[in-house]
């Protein structure tokens, strides 16, 4: 991830809403030089609200109605952090997260989703399925679809609370989809009952009379039971109670009422309205904190309050980007005034839509087709990304990506008038020293280590660490207990994804895997890091995220960081030299395989081709999510399990690919192997990318392992074949266990969470003059 220009500012986009999706696209087309852009969001994709009802109705697949935020962030050259925000530390300018260190910022933009407002005395909140956040709603809705598909003969009742546009559209689309499933299963439509509860005397109270009456008629005609002027008083498991005394038994209760902000946002200290949404001025800037902006559902414009609707979030995208740019360049901000009226297109669940604007209303299949065309055109803007430009308007290849943004001059004009200051900064940057002059300053390193220790807790206590980080000596000193041997390994490589915290975790797992593969337990580690050129505060933030990730993995392995070395450079890179302890008679060697054993692989393969595809903007975000989850899984428990089931040889599958590491084992052990190609587990998306011809740049060098395959010429057309040579990062373990132990070993591995573990082959005696590996 090359960072050819220093970082001067951190701009954090909190939330993956519509406004931020548009912002990422615009920043990708014209980057902000010198600004490190970060998207912090709960998931790697976000639903487009305009197509969500169509998805519920069964008209659109999940992929068709979701924006791939991971791919979009890569296009924008942005760091991509997946986590849930739980608070803001405005004094220190940090976003507090649920599962990672706080994320620092110079400028913050908030575009989060909302949640339905629930009464204080609602009863069992677990019995409610809120329409927002959308991700959780869709997970629950998918389960409803599965339930009806699997047992269509069962009678079910759905209750929907809220008679606005959202509740009405949801009632119609849910009914349509589930009735389609019942019809396909040849079950009566009466197996589904839908109830809609509204506290007002009419449906859609903000719409004109014709629209209200039309939807009332539609719902009644389709057998949806309406309960008007029936405020819900309490919800119990499978039961809904109204203030009038009405009680309705429901299998599922969906809540689609007035929106509310996340609790922590209202408590953050930002000026907010009565529902907790950030109050902003006409420029979308916070009324209380000038370095914070907000848009979409997260914001309430003081002078122009509007409903929480996707149309306004979309319209705010461009003015938000313009004013973020202007803030960074110290230019006056431009006011934005949203339209007072807008056209609503509300689906009826059956391929028609009703249009409403002011006193106008109309229903037609043409309207649904028109809405479908508009929505698909909007989504196409994010699936077919344009050619990017550098800061001077020149096109750059979309395959480039990095920690920060791209550009030609590489510097942030903090003030457009200060040309002299900018020139001086450029000159200083061009004259960065080498040798020890390239080291990260000791004060930065000291602050980072102090922060990590404060927020991550103290490291494991080990009596065999005689001198570690706590002492200001030139080197660490460790002790090897009597009867044990020390196992040492080292790994170092450039970042393969644009999240230093997760990269630190993956790098530590990768380095420790060599110890686990040999049957050793980690003791200590030295770290080596290269941090992209930046202002001291930005260097500190990157190093803090990186070491937080690495040390969290070390602590889980009961190992400690005892020292290291940090320099500044063009791209983020990290590695570790790890020490482990083992009993000499229990070491696992590559040479330990014997005839008559089963070969067990503990993880799926495919990281090489997937990350090659990501660099070309070809990989889907959820594929990369799966690869990251695999790389974050430690091999420590798998190694212990393999030893308990009498493994005699082991290696970790990494850069040389599965075939390269297997070839090393068979050659060292002097045995033959039959490899079941179809049994090898693959990461989702890996096969699709290989079939498109997308391979890792290391793949050609790994093909030298072909010489170990006896029947390569007859199996090289198998679709899995290229993946045998795919280099893995933080891959699984490949071990030889007695055949009689293999089933018990797999059962234990699956119970430990290594769900892809499988037997991929068997060892045989080696025939003279025969190549040792045969693929079946």
């Amino acid at each position: 991830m090359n960072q050819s220009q220093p970082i001067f500012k951190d701009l954090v986009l909190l939330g993956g809403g519509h406004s931020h999706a548009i912002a990422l696209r615009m920043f990708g087309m014209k980057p902000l030089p010198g600004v490190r852009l970060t998207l912090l969001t709960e998931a790697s994709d976000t639903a487009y609200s305009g197509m969500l009802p169509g998805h519920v109705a069964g008209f659109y697949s999940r992929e068709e109605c979701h924006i791939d935020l991971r791919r979009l962030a890569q296009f924008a050259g942005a760091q991509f952090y997946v986590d849930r925000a739980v608070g803001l530390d405005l004094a220190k300018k940090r976003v507090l997260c649920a599962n990672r260190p706080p994320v620092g910022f110079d400028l913050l933009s908030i575009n989060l989703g909302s949640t339905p407002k629930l009464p204080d005395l609602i009863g069992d909140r677990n019995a409610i399925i809120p329409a927002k956040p959308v991700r959780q709603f869709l997970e629950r809705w998918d389960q409803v679809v599965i339930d009806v598909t699997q047992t269509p003969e069962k009678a079910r009742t759905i209750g929907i609370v809220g008679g606005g546009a959202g509740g009405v559209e949801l009632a119609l689309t849910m009914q349509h989809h589930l009735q389609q499933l019942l019809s396909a299963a040849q079950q009566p439509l009466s197996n589904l009952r839908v109830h809609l509860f509204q506290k007002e005397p009419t449906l859609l109270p903000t719409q004109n009379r014709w629209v209200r009456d039309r939807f009332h008629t539609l719902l009644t005609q389709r057998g949806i039971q309406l309960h008007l002027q029936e405020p819900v008083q309490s919800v119990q498991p499978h039961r809904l109670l109204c203030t009038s005394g009405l009680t309705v038994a429901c299998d599922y209760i969906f809540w689609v009422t007035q929106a509310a902000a996340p609790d922590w946002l209202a408590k953050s200290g930002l000026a907010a309205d009565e529902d907790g949404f950030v109050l902003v001025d006409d420029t979308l800037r916070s009324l209380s904190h000038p370095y914070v902006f907000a848009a979409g559902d997260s914001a309430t414009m003081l002078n122009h309050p509007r409903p929480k609707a996707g149309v306004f979030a979309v319209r705010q995208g461009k003015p938000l980007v313009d004013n973020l740019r202007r803030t960074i360049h110290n230019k006056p901000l431009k006011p934005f005034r949203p339209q007072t009226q807008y056209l609503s297109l509300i689906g009826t669940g059956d391929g028609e839509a009703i249009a409403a604007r002011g006193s106008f209303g109309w229903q037609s299949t043409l309207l649904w087709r028109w809405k479908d065309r508009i929505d698909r055109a909007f989504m196409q803007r994010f699936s077919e990304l344009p050619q990017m430009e550098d800061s001077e308007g020149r096109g750059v290849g979309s395959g480039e990506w990095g920690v920060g943004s791209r550009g030609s001059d590489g510097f942030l004009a903090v003030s457009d008038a200060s040309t002299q200051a900018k020139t001086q900064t450029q000159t200083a940057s061009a004259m960065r020293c080498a040798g020890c002059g390239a080291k990260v300053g000791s004060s930065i390193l000291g602050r980072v280590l102090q922060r990590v220790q404060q927020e991550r807790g103290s490291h494991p206590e080990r009596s065999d660490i005689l001198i570690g980080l706590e002492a200001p000596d030139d080197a660490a000193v460790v002790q090897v207990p009597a009867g044990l041997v020390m196992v040492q390994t080292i790994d170092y490589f450039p970042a393969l994804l644009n999240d230093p915290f997760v990269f630190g975790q993956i790098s530590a797992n990768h380095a420790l895997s060599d110890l686990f593969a040999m049957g050793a337990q980690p003791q200590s580690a030295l770290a080596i890091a290269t941090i992209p050129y930046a202002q001291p505060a930005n260097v500190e933030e990157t190093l803090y995220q990186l070491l937080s990730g690495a040390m969290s993995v070390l602590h889980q392995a009961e190992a400690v960081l005892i020292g290291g070395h940090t320099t500044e450079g063009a791209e983020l890179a990290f590695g570790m030299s790890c020490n482990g302890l083992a009993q000499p008679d229990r070491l696992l060697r590559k040479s330990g395989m014997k005839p008559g054993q089963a070969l067990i692989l503990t993880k799926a393969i495919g990281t090489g081709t997937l990350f090659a595809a990501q660099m070309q903007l070809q990989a889907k975000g959820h594929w990369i999510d799966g690869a990251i989850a695999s790389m974050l899984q430690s091999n420590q428990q798998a190694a212990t399990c393999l030893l308990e089931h009498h493994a005699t040889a082991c290696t970790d599958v990494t850069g040389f690919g599965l075939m390269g590491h297997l070839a090393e084992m068979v050659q060292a052990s002097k045995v033959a192997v039959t490899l079941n190609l179809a049994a090898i587990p693959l990461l989702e998306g890996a096969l699709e990318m290989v079939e498109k011809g997308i391979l890792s740049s290391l793949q050609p060098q790994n093909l030298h392992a072909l010489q170990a395959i006896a029947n390569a010429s007859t199996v090289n057309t198998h679709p899995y074949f290229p993946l045998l040579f795919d280099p893995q990062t933080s891959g699984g373990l490949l071990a030889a266990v007695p055949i009689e132990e293999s089933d018990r070993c797999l059962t234990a591995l699956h119970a430990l969470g290594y769900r892809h573990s499988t037997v991929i082959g068997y060892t045989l005696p080696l025939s003279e003059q025969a190549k040792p590996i045969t693929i079946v």
Side-chain angles (χ1 to χ4, degrees), residues 496 506 509 603 607 611 626-633 729-730:
L496 76 167
I506 291 171
N509 274 327
K603 289 187 184 182
T607 60
F611 280 92
I628 290 172
S630 177
M631 293 187 293
L632 287 175
Q633 186 176 31
T729 300
S730 189

Side-chain angles (χ1 to χ4, degrees), residues 340-378:
T340 56
Q341 288 190 338
Y342 62 97
L343 179 67
S344 293
L345 291 171
I346 306 172
T348 58
D350 59 350
E352 292 192 358
I354 291 177
R357 181 184 174 99
S359 61
F360 169 80
W362 181 34
Q363 179 180 355
S364 172
T365 56
L366 294 176
L367 287 172
W368 175 259
R369 292 174 186 171
W370 183 40
K371 172 177 165 54
D372 175 70
R373 184 175 179 181
I374 292 171
D375 290 338
R376 289 185 184 275
F378 177 79

Side-chain angles (χ1 to χ4, degrees), residues 111-125:
N111 182 206
L112 299 160
S114 58
T115 59
K117 184 184 292 185
L118 301 177
D120 293 333
L121 301 175
I122 193 61
D124 186 0
R125 292 179 178 241

Side-chain angles (χ1 to χ4, degrees), residues 11-64:
L11 168 56
V12 173
L13 306 181
L14 176 55
H18 298 359
S19 301
H20 280 172
I22 291 170
L24 286 169
R25 186 178 185 275
M26 294 180 69
F27 284 133
M29 293 171 66
K30 190 174 182 181
L32 278 166
V35 175
R36 178 166 56 190
L37 186 63
T38 301
L39 176 65
L40 173 59
T41 180
E42 290 191 35
S44 62
D45 59 12
T46 186
Y48 170 46
S49 60
M51 299 178 80
L52 197 59
H55 171 64
V56 172
F59 300 147
Y60 303 122
S61 68
R62 189 186 189 284
E63 188 171 321
E64 285 178 309

Side-chain angles (χ1 to χ4, degrees), residues 468-483:
L469 280 178
E470 293 79 6
D473 286 283
D474 291 329
V477 179
V478 300
Q479 187 174 56
V480 180

Side-chain angles (χ1 to χ4, degrees), residues 4 48 53 71 76 114 149 214 295 354 479 512 520 652 694 706 737 772:
S4 59
Y48 170 46
R71 180 171 177 264
S114 58
T149 302
R214 183 60 190 143
I354 291 177
Q479 187 174 56
L512 291 173
D652 60 327
I694 298 176
L706 277 168
V737 300

Side-chain angles (χ1 to χ4, degrees), residues 165-380:
V168 166
E169 194 168 21
L170 202 60
L172 291 167
T173 54
M174 283 183 170
Q175 184 195 53
H176 173 81
H177 192 168
L178 298 182
Q179 285 186 344
Q180 293 290 106
L181 295 178
L182 292 174
S183 296
Q186 298 181 337
Q187 296 295 321
L189 300 185
S190 58
N191 279 3
L192 176 68
R193 295 184 295 274
V194 180
H195 294 259
L196 181 62
F197 299 84
Q198 165 72 331
K199 67 178 181 178
E200 306 290 342
T202 64
L203 299 170
L204 298 103
T206 62
Q207 297 291 348
N208 65 60
R209 182 172 179 177
W210 183 89
V211 172
R212 295 198 302 268
D213 291 345
R214 183 60 190 143
F215 272 109
H216 190 287
T217 300
L218 274 177
L219 291 162
T220 303
Q221 288 176 345
R222 296 188 188 177
I224 294 175
Q225 183 67 49
L226 299 179
H227 303 282
L228 302 180
Q229 290 185 287
E230 288 284 4
V232 174
Q233 181 181 32
S234 178
V235 174
Q236 303 300 331
H238 305 297
R239 190 172 61 161
L240 195 151
L241 295 83
C242 299
T243 55
S244 67
L246 174 68
T247 300
V248 178
C250 299
D251 296 282
Y252 312 98
I253 300 171
F254 292 89
W255 204 273
V256 197
T257 59
Q258 185 179 355
D263 291 341
W264 64 263
L265 189 58
K267 300 173 183 176
S268 66
L270 292 169
D273 66 9
E274 61 182 8
D275 293 319
F277 296 109
V278 181
L279 281 171
V280 298
D281 61 19
D282 291 359
T283 68
L284 302 178
R285 184 164 60 178
S286 165
L287 296 183
S288 58
H289 294 75
Y291 50 84
V292 176
F293 287 73
D297 280 5
S298 299
T300 295
M301 296 188 73
L302 180 65
N303 299 323
H304 311 288
R306 296 290 185 269
K308 301 300 179 186
V311 62
F312 295 111
V314 169
R315 296 291 177 86
Q316 288 173 349
K318 186 177 186 302
L320 175 66
V321 171
D322 290 344
N323 281 328
L324 289 173
R325 289 185 186 275
R326 287 178 169 274
T327 300
I328 288 169
H329 291 293
N330 287 337
K331 289 184 176 181
L333 305 188
K334 286 187 174 181
F336 164 71
R337 184 183 181 92
Q339 71 267 42
T340 56
Q341 288 190 338
Y342 62 97
L343 179 67
S344 293
L345 291 171
I346 306 172
T348 58
D350 59 350
E352 292 192 358
I354 291 177
R357 181 184 174 99
S359 61
F360 169 80
W362 181 34
Q363 179 180 355
S364 172
T365 56
L366 294 176
L367 287 172
W368 175 259
R369 292 174 186 171
W370 183 40
K371 172 177 165 54
D372 175 70
R373 184 175 179 181
I374 292 171
D375 290 338
R376 289 185 184 275
F378 177 79
M379 292 297 289
Q380 191 174 18

